[in-house]
Amino acid sequence: MAAFGTVFMPEMALATFENNQWSASRMVPADSLQLHPAAHVFHYSSTCFEGLKAFRHQDGGVYIYRMDANIKRLIQSSQILQLPSIDEKQIADMIVDVVTKFKSEVPEPPGSMYIRPTHMGTEPSIGKAAGASSTSMLFVLLSPVGDYFESGNKPLRVLIDEQGMRCAPHMGMVKSGGNYASALGPIAEARISDKADQVLFCPGGDVQETGAANFILIDGNEIITKALDKSFLHGITRDSLLTIAKDMGMTVRERSISVDELMERAAKPGAEAALSGTAAVLTGVGTLIRDGKEYSVGSGEVGPVTEKLRKALNDIQWGLAEDKHGWLTKV
Ligand SMILES: Cc1ncc(COP(=O)(O)O)c(C=O)c1O
Protein backbone atom coordinates (compact mmCIF):
# COMPACT_ATOMS: atom_id res chain seq x y z
CA MET A 1 0.00 0.00 0.00
CA ALA A 2 1.23 3.55 -0.80
CA ALA A 3 2.48 5.71 2.11
CA PHE A 4 -0.29 7.12 4.33
CA GLY A 5 -1.92 10.19 2.81
CA THR A 6 -0.25 10.14 -0.62
CA VAL A 7 -3.12 8.85 -2.76
CA PHE A 8 -6.16 11.06 -3.38
CA MET A 9 -9.59 10.83 -4.91
CA PRO A 10 -9.70 12.86 -8.15
CA GLU A 11 -12.29 15.36 -6.93
CA MET A 12 -12.98 17.24 -3.70
CA ALA A 13 -15.76 19.43 -2.30
CA LEU A 14 -14.92 23.14 -2.17
CA ALA A 15 -16.58 26.37 -0.99
CA THR A 16 -15.24 29.91 -0.66
CA PHE A 17 -16.06 32.81 1.64
CA GLU A 18 -16.11 36.17 -0.14
CA ASN A 19 -18.05 39.40 0.33
CA ASN A 20 -19.17 38.17 3.73
CA GLN A 21 -20.85 35.04 2.47
CA TRP A 22 -20.18 31.42 1.66
CA SER A 23 -20.54 30.23 -1.92
CA ALA A 24 -22.47 27.07 -2.65
CA SER A 25 -20.11 24.10 -2.40
CA ARG A 26 -19.07 22.33 -5.58
CA MET A 27 -16.97 19.37 -6.71
CA VAL A 28 -13.64 20.38 -8.24
CA PRO A 29 -10.55 18.48 -9.42
CA ALA A 30 -8.40 17.55 -6.42
CA ASP A 31 -5.04 18.02 -8.08
CA SER A 32 -4.85 21.81 -8.28
CA LEU A 33 -5.94 25.01 -6.59
CA GLN A 34 -5.64 28.55 -7.78
CA LEU A 35 -4.54 30.99 -5.09
CA HIS A 36 -2.92 34.40 -5.22
CA PRO A 37 0.74 34.26 -4.07
CA ALA A 38 -0.15 36.91 -1.49
CA ALA A 39 -2.88 34.70 0.02
CA HIS A 40 -2.94 35.16 3.79
CA VAL A 41 -2.35 31.45 4.45
CA PHE A 42 1.00 31.41 2.61
CA HIS A 43 2.48 34.15 4.78
CA TYR A 44 0.66 34.16 8.10
CA SER A 45 -0.42 30.49 8.35
CA SER A 46 -4.14 31.12 8.75
CA THR A 47 -5.05 27.49 8.23
CA CYS A 48 -6.67 24.66 10.13
CA PHE A 49 -7.81 21.21 9.20
CA GLU A 50 -9.43 18.02 10.43
CA GLY A 51 -8.74 14.34 10.04
CA LEU A 52 -11.56 11.82 10.24
CA LYS A 53 -12.31 8.50 8.60
CA ALA A 54 -15.06 6.66 6.77
CA PHE A 55 -15.21 2.88 7.17
CA ARG A 56 -16.69 0.12 5.07
CA HIS A 57 -18.84 -2.37 6.99
CA GLN A 58 -19.41 -5.99 6.11
CA ASP A 59 -22.87 -5.17 4.75
CA GLY A 60 -21.16 -2.91 2.19
CA GLY A 61 -22.40 0.30 3.88
CA VAL A 62 -20.02 3.20 4.45
CA TYR A 63 -20.00 5.07 7.78
CA ILE A 64 -18.22 8.26 8.83
CA TYR A 65 -16.80 8.17 12.34
CA ARG A 66 -17.56 11.05 14.74
CA MET A 67 -18.16 13.61 12.02
CA ASP A 68 -19.97 15.98 14.38
CA ALA A 69 -17.06 16.13 16.84
CA ASN A 70 -14.58 16.84 14.04
CA ILE A 71 -16.80 19.58 12.64
CA LYS A 72 -17.06 21.21 16.08
CA ARG A 73 -13.27 21.17 16.40
CA LEU A 74 -12.85 22.69 12.92
CA ILE A 75 -15.29 25.45 13.85
CA GLN A 76 -13.38 26.08 17.07
CA SER A 77 -10.00 26.11 15.28
CA SER A 78 -11.40 28.56 12.70
CA GLN A 79 -12.66 30.85 15.46
CA ILE A 80 -9.34 30.89 17.30
CA LEU A 81 -7.51 31.63 14.02
CA GLN A 82 -9.92 34.50 13.25
CA LEU A 83 -11.06 32.78 10.04
CA PRO A 84 -14.62 33.28 8.73
CA SER A 85 -17.25 31.22 10.60
CA ILE A 86 -18.06 27.90 9.04
CA ASP A 87 -21.64 26.78 8.66
CA GLU A 88 -22.02 23.45 10.47
CA LYS A 89 -24.62 22.12 8.02
CA GLN A 90 -22.67 23.19 4.94
CA ILE A 91 -19.46 21.45 5.99
CA ALA A 92 -21.40 18.32 7.04
CA ASP A 93 -23.04 18.24 3.60
CA MET A 94 -19.66 18.71 1.90
CA ILE A 95 -18.18 15.77 3.81
CA VAL A 96 -21.16 13.49 3.18
CA ASP A 97 -21.40 14.49 -0.50
CA VAL A 98 -17.76 13.82 -1.33
CA VAL A 99 -17.68 10.54 0.61
CA THR A 100 -20.89 9.48 -1.14
CA LYS A 101 -19.34 10.32 -4.50
CA PHE A 102 -16.36 8.05 -3.80
CA LYS A 103 -18.19 5.48 -1.72
CA SER A 104 -17.08 2.61 -3.92
CA GLU A 105 -13.41 3.56 -3.28
CA VAL A 106 -13.59 3.23 0.51
CA PRO A 107 -11.14 0.42 1.37
CA GLU A 108 -12.08 -2.64 3.42
CA PRO A 109 -10.89 -2.64 7.08
CA PRO A 110 -8.22 -2.26 8.31
CA GLY A 111 -8.07 0.40 5.59
CA SER A 112 -10.41 3.39 5.51
CA MET A 113 -11.11 6.62 3.64
CA TYR A 114 -9.26 9.42 5.42
CA ILE A 115 -11.19 12.71 5.15
CA ARG A 116 -9.27 15.98 5.32
CA PRO A 117 -11.46 19.10 5.65
CA THR A 118 -9.20 22.17 5.39
CA HIS A 119 -9.97 25.86 5.94
CA MET A 120 -7.55 28.63 4.99
CA GLY A 121 -7.34 32.42 4.74
CA THR A 122 -7.09 33.50 1.10
CA GLU A 123 -7.16 37.29 1.20
CA PRO A 124 -4.40 38.53 -1.14
CA SER A 125 -2.72 40.89 1.33
CA ILE A 126 0.81 40.68 2.66
CA GLY A 127 0.02 43.70 4.79
CA LYS A 128 -2.18 41.68 7.12
CA ALA A 129 0.44 40.16 9.41
CA ALA A 130 -1.63 41.35 12.35
CA GLY A 131 -5.06 41.21 10.69
CA ALA A 132 -7.51 38.44 9.92
CA SER A 133 -8.14 37.25 6.38
CA SER A 134 -11.53 38.48 5.20
CA THR A 135 -11.82 35.71 2.62
CA SER A 136 -11.26 31.96 2.92
CA MET A 137 -11.46 28.62 1.20
CA LEU A 138 -12.82 25.40 2.62
CA PHE A 139 -12.28 22.04 0.95
CA VAL A 140 -12.71 18.37 1.77
CA LEU A 141 -10.04 16.12 0.32
CA LEU A 142 -10.18 12.30 0.44
CA SER A 143 -7.33 9.82 0.73
CA PRO A 144 -7.78 6.03 0.97
CA VAL A 145 -5.39 4.79 3.68
CA GLY A 146 -3.96 1.76 5.42
CA ASP A 147 -1.68 1.86 8.47
CA TYR A 148 -0.21 5.20 9.63
CA PHE A 149 2.97 4.02 11.29
CA GLU A 150 5.34 2.39 8.84
CA SER A 151 6.30 -0.08 11.54
CA GLY A 152 2.70 -1.37 11.68
CA ASN A 153 1.80 -2.36 15.23
CA LYS A 154 5.41 -2.50 16.53
CA PRO A 155 5.90 -0.76 19.89
CA LEU A 156 7.15 2.79 19.42
CA ARG A 157 10.30 4.46 20.71
CA VAL A 158 9.36 7.83 22.15
CA LEU A 159 11.77 10.57 23.19
CA ILE A 160 10.75 12.68 26.19
CA ASP A 161 11.39 16.37 25.57
CA GLU A 162 11.20 18.37 28.80
CA GLN A 163 12.70 21.58 27.46
CA GLY A 164 10.87 22.37 24.23
CA MET A 165 7.16 22.54 23.49
CA ARG A 166 5.18 21.42 20.47
CA CYS A 167 3.64 24.83 19.86
CA ALA A 168 2.70 28.06 21.64
CA PRO A 169 0.76 27.20 24.83
CA HIS A 170 -2.47 28.91 23.73
CA MET A 171 -2.44 27.15 20.32
CA GLY A 172 -2.37 23.50 21.36
CA MET A 173 -6.11 22.95 20.99
CA VAL A 174 -6.09 24.37 17.44
CA LYS A 175 -5.49 21.88 14.64
CA SER A 176 -3.39 24.29 12.65
CA GLY A 177 -0.54 23.78 10.20
CA GLY A 178 1.78 26.12 12.10
CA ASN A 179 1.75 23.82 15.14
CA TYR A 180 2.96 20.89 13.04
CA ALA A 181 5.68 23.01 11.42
CA SER A 182 6.83 24.08 14.87
CA ALA A 183 7.29 20.44 15.95
CA LEU A 184 9.17 19.28 12.84
CA GLY A 185 12.64 20.33 14.02
CA PRO A 186 12.53 18.52 17.38
CA ILE A 187 11.05 15.38 15.77
CA ALA A 188 13.71 15.30 13.03
CA GLU A 189 16.44 15.74 15.65
CA ALA A 190 15.03 12.95 17.84
CA ARG A 191 15.00 10.58 14.86
CA ILE A 192 18.69 11.19 14.29
CA SER A 193 19.92 11.45 17.88
CA ASP A 194 17.93 8.57 19.41
CA LYS A 195 16.26 6.70 16.55
CA ALA A 196 12.99 7.80 18.15
CA ASP A 197 9.69 7.36 16.28
CA GLN A 198 8.02 10.28 18.06
CA VAL A 199 8.69 13.06 20.56
CA LEU A 200 6.53 13.33 23.68
CA PHE A 201 6.43 17.03 24.47
CA CYS A 202 6.58 17.57 28.24
CA PRO A 203 7.42 21.26 28.80
CA GLY A 204 8.62 21.80 32.35
CA GLY A 205 7.97 18.11 33.08
CA ASP A 206 4.23 18.22 32.20
CA VAL A 207 3.35 15.26 29.93
CA GLN A 208 1.32 16.70 27.02
CA GLU A 209 1.23 14.93 23.64
CA THR A 210 3.36 13.88 20.67
CA GLY A 211 3.58 15.58 17.27
CA ALA A 212 0.41 13.93 15.96
CA ALA A 213 -1.25 11.95 18.75
CA ASN A 214 -2.37 12.10 22.39
CA PHE A 215 -0.60 10.14 25.10
CA ILE A 216 -2.25 7.73 27.52
CA LEU A 217 -0.78 5.74 30.36
CA ILE A 218 -2.36 2.47 31.45
CA ASP A 219 -1.68 1.10 34.91
CA GLY A 220 -3.78 -1.98 35.69
CA ASN A 221 -7.43 -1.00 35.57
CA GLU A 222 -6.57 2.69 35.48
CA ILE A 223 -6.07 5.02 32.50
CA ILE A 224 -4.32 8.29 33.15
CA THR A 225 -4.15 11.10 30.62
CA LYS A 226 -3.77 14.85 30.78
CA ALA A 227 -7.01 16.76 31.47
CA LEU A 228 -8.20 19.03 28.66
CA ASP A 229 -6.70 22.50 28.58
CA LYS A 230 -5.56 24.89 25.83
CA SER A 231 -2.07 23.42 25.55
CA PHE A 232 -2.78 20.28 23.51
CA LEU A 233 -5.17 18.89 20.91
CA HIS A 234 -8.44 17.52 22.26
CA GLY A 235 -8.29 14.23 20.42
CA ILE A 236 -11.54 12.65 19.36
CA THR A 237 -9.90 9.22 19.55
CA ARG A 238 -8.80 10.09 23.11
CA ASP A 239 -12.41 10.95 23.97
CA SER A 240 -13.67 7.75 22.30
CA LEU A 241 -11.16 5.53 24.12
CA LEU A 242 -11.87 7.10 27.50
CA THR A 243 -15.60 6.51 26.92
CA ILE A 244 -14.98 2.89 25.86
CA ALA A 245 -12.69 2.35 28.87
CA LYS A 246 -15.40 3.65 31.22
CA ASP A 247 -17.92 1.36 29.50
CA MET A 248 -15.53 -1.53 30.24
CA GLY A 249 -15.44 -0.59 33.92
CA MET A 250 -11.96 0.92 33.87
CA THR A 251 -11.09 3.93 36.02
CA VAL A 252 -10.32 6.98 33.91
CA ARG A 253 -8.26 9.74 35.49
CA GLU A 254 -7.92 12.97 33.53
CA ARG A 255 -5.22 14.90 35.33
CA SER A 256 -1.67 16.16 34.93
CA ILE A 257 1.13 13.59 34.90
CA SER A 258 4.72 14.62 35.55
CA VAL A 259 7.58 12.97 33.70
CA ASP A 260 8.84 11.64 37.06
CA GLU A 261 5.49 9.95 37.75
CA LEU A 262 5.38 8.61 34.19
CA MET A 263 8.84 7.04 34.57
CA GLU A 264 7.94 5.55 37.93
CA ARG A 265 4.70 3.99 36.66
CA ALA A 266 6.22 2.87 33.35
CA ALA A 267 8.83 0.86 35.26
CA LYS A 268 6.13 -1.43 36.74
CA PRO A 269 5.97 -4.83 34.97
CA GLY A 270 2.33 -4.49 33.81
CA ALA A 271 2.49 -0.83 32.76
CA GLU A 272 1.41 0.24 29.27
CA ALA A 273 1.60 3.50 27.37
CA ALA A 274 0.05 4.32 24.01
CA LEU A 275 -0.51 7.08 21.46
CA SER A 276 -4.06 7.77 20.34
CA GLY A 277 -5.28 9.51 17.22
CA THR A 278 -7.37 9.06 14.10
CA ALA A 279 -4.30 7.98 12.15
CA ALA A 280 -2.46 6.17 14.98
CA VAL A 281 -5.70 4.61 16.37
CA LEU A 282 -3.99 3.32 19.55
CA THR A 283 -0.36 2.41 19.11
CA GLY A 284 1.70 1.00 21.96
CA VAL A 285 4.82 2.74 23.27
CA GLY A 286 7.53 0.20 24.11
CA THR A 287 10.44 2.46 25.02
CA LEU A 288 10.78 5.90 26.57
CA ILE A 289 14.04 7.76 26.03
CA ARG A 290 14.96 10.36 28.67
CA ASP A 291 18.27 12.24 28.69
CA GLY A 292 19.86 9.70 26.36
CA LYS A 293 18.84 6.66 28.47
CA GLU A 294 16.28 4.07 27.39
CA TYR A 295 13.53 2.72 29.64
CA SER A 296 11.06 -0.04 28.73
CA VAL A 297 7.40 0.62 29.39
CA GLY A 298 6.24 -2.50 31.26
CA SER A 299 7.33 -5.48 29.15
CA GLY A 300 8.44 -3.23 26.29
CA GLU A 301 5.80 -4.83 24.05
CA VAL A 302 2.34 -3.62 23.03
CA GLY A 303 0.27 -4.37 26.14
CA PRO A 304 -2.97 -6.38 26.41
CA VAL A 305 -5.11 -3.42 27.54
CA THR A 306 -3.84 -1.35 24.61
CA GLU A 307 -4.78 -4.21 22.28
CA LYS A 308 -8.19 -4.61 23.92
CA LEU A 309 -9.04 -0.90 23.68
CA ARG A 310 -7.81 -0.65 20.11
CA LYS A 311 -9.93 -3.64 19.13
CA ALA A 312 -13.00 -2.27 20.93
CA LEU A 313 -12.65 1.02 19.04
CA ASN A 314 -12.04 -0.70 15.69
CA ASP A 315 -15.02 -2.99 16.28
CA ILE A 316 -17.32 0.04 16.58
CA GLN A 317 -15.73 1.72 13.55
CA TRP A 318 -15.93 -1.45 11.47
CA GLY A 319 -19.52 -2.26 12.46
CA LEU A 320 -18.57 -5.36 14.47
CA ALA A 321 -19.84 -3.94 17.78
CA GLU A 322 -22.89 -1.87 18.67
CA ASP A 323 -22.52 1.89 18.08
CA LYS A 324 -24.17 2.71 21.38
CA HIS A 325 -22.92 6.30 21.55
CA GLY A 326 -24.18 7.19 18.05
CA TRP A 327 -20.71 7.88 16.63
CA LEU A 328 -21.34 6.67 13.08
CA THR A 329 -23.02 8.57 10.21
CA LYS A 330 -24.17 6.36 7.32
CA VAL A 331 -23.58 7.78 3.86
C1 LIG B 1 -1.14 16.92 17.68
C2 LIG B 1 -2.22 15.92 17.69
N1 LIG B 1 -2.67 15.49 18.88
C3 LIG B 1 -3.66 14.60 18.96
C4 LIG B 1 -4.25 14.06 17.83
C5 LIG B 1 -5.37 13.08 17.97
O1 LIG B 1 -6.58 13.68 17.60
P1 LIG B 1 -7.77 12.79 17.01
O2 LIG B 1 -7.93 11.66 17.95
O3 LIG B 1 -8.94 13.69 17.00
O4 LIG B 1 -7.34 12.35 15.67
C6 LIG B 1 -3.82 14.50 16.56
C7 LIG B 1 -4.42 14.00 15.31
O5 LIG B 1 -4.54 12.85 15.00
C8 LIG B 1 -2.77 15.43 16.49
O6 LIG B 1 -2.32 15.84 15.31
Side-chain angles (χ1 to χ4, degrees):
M1 188 125 191
F4 188 99
T6 59
V7 174
F8 302 99
M9 292 295 102
E11 287 181 67
M12 63 179 183
L14 180 138
T16 52
F17 186 87
E18 276 160 34
N19 303 319
N20 287 317
Q21 60 179 7
W22 282 101
S23 68
S25 62
R26 57 190 192 278
M27 292 292 167
V28 299
D31 63 352
S32 64
L33 270 184
Q34 198 171 7
L35 283 178
H36 195 285
H40 198 271
V41 60
F42 291 147
H43 305 271
Y44 308 122
S45 299
S46 49
T47 172
C48 53
F49 64 92
E50 273 308 318
L52 64 162
K53 285 174 172 172
F55 296 93
R56 180 173 299 288
H57 288 188
Q58 275 171 353
D59 63 4
V62 166
Y63 296 79
I64 305 173
Y65 185 69
R66 300 208 68 177
M67 180 173 77
D68 298 351
N70 282 273
I71 289 176
K72 287 209 161 56
R73 195 168 63 185
L74 185 67
I75 289 173
Q76 177 180 278
S77 293
S78 298
Q79 270 163 0
I80 297 173
L81 292 169
Q82 307 295 306
L83 282 164
S85 305
I86 296 175
D87 182 68
E88 205 167 332
K89 163 110 178 46
Q90 180 170 20
I91 180 68
D93 287 346
M94 286 168 73
I95 294 171
V96 170
D97 287 352
V98 73
V99 174
T100 303
K101 174 145 198 168
F102 294 104
K103 198 170 163 180
S104 63
E105 306 286 331
V106 176
E108 300 277 341
S112 60
M113 185 66 86
Y114 187 85
I115 307 167
R116 174 52 65 91
T118 306
H119 187 200
M120 60 178 73
T122 53
E123 185 175 344
S125 168
I126 53 172
K128 279 206 151 177
S133 177
S134 62
T135 63
S136 71
M137 178 182 282
L138 176 63
F139 61 74
V140 183
L141 184 65
L142 298 183
S143 174
V145 296
D147 218 330
Y148 176 60
F149 288 112
E150 285 165 19
S151 56
N153 198 22
K154 253 178 54 195
L156 301 173
R157 292 168 56 79
V158 171
L159 178 92
I160 294 178
D161 181 344
E162 290 168 83
Q163 266 77 50
M165 46 177 85
R166 176 178 168 258
C167 62
H170 66 293
M171 287 293 286
M173 65 194 279
V174 188
K175 198 162 169 70
S176 183
N179 289 347
Y180 294 84
S182 141
L184 288 180
I187 297 168
E189 248 173 64
R191 290 207 169 118
I192 295 168
S193 64
D194 295 280
K195 295 195 171 56
D197 298 301
Q198 301 288 324
V199 173
L200 180 59
F201 291 95
C202 309
D206 176 40
V207 177
Q208 293 187 337
E209 64 178 333
T210 64
N214 293 124
F215 181 81
I216 69 171
L217 180 64
I218 299 165
D219 190 350
N221 197 41
E222 215 179 314
I223 290 197
I224 311 170
T225 194
K226 187 172 169 61
L228 298 179
D229 66 18
K230 284 184 185 169
S231 70
F232 73 106
L233 196 74
H234 301 177
I236 291 155
T237 314
R238 170 191 176 283
D239 180 75
S240 305
L241 290 164
L242 297 187
T243 305
I244 291 169
K246 283 181 205 159
D247 289 348
M248 287 175 168
M250 293 183 71
T251 305
V252 172
R253 299 207 193 283
E254 290 180 79
R255 61 160 173 85
S256 296
I257 319 170
S258 68
V259 173
D260 288 337
E261 180 186 356
L262 167 61
M263 302 315 287
E264 202 182 302
R265 286 185 183 259
K268 294 192 199 168
E272 298 178 36
L275 303 186
S276 82
T278 297
V281 190
L282 189 64
T283 303
V285 175
T287 305
L288 294 171
I289 305 158
R290 187 187 196 189
D291 297 331
K293 280 205 203 121
E294 299 194 6
Y295 303 85
S296 285
V297 180
S299 67
E301 297 302 322
V302 178
V305 182
T306 301
E307 297 275 24
K308 186 171 83 171
L309 287 169
R310 181 185 170 105
K311 180 173 183 312
L313 173 60
N314 279 152
D315 281 353
I316 297 171
Q317 293 173 328
W318 298 346
L320 303 174
E322 188 197 350
D323 172 27
K324 62 179 176 188
H325 299 285
W327 287 337
L328 299 171
T329 303
K330 190 167 200 277
V331 301

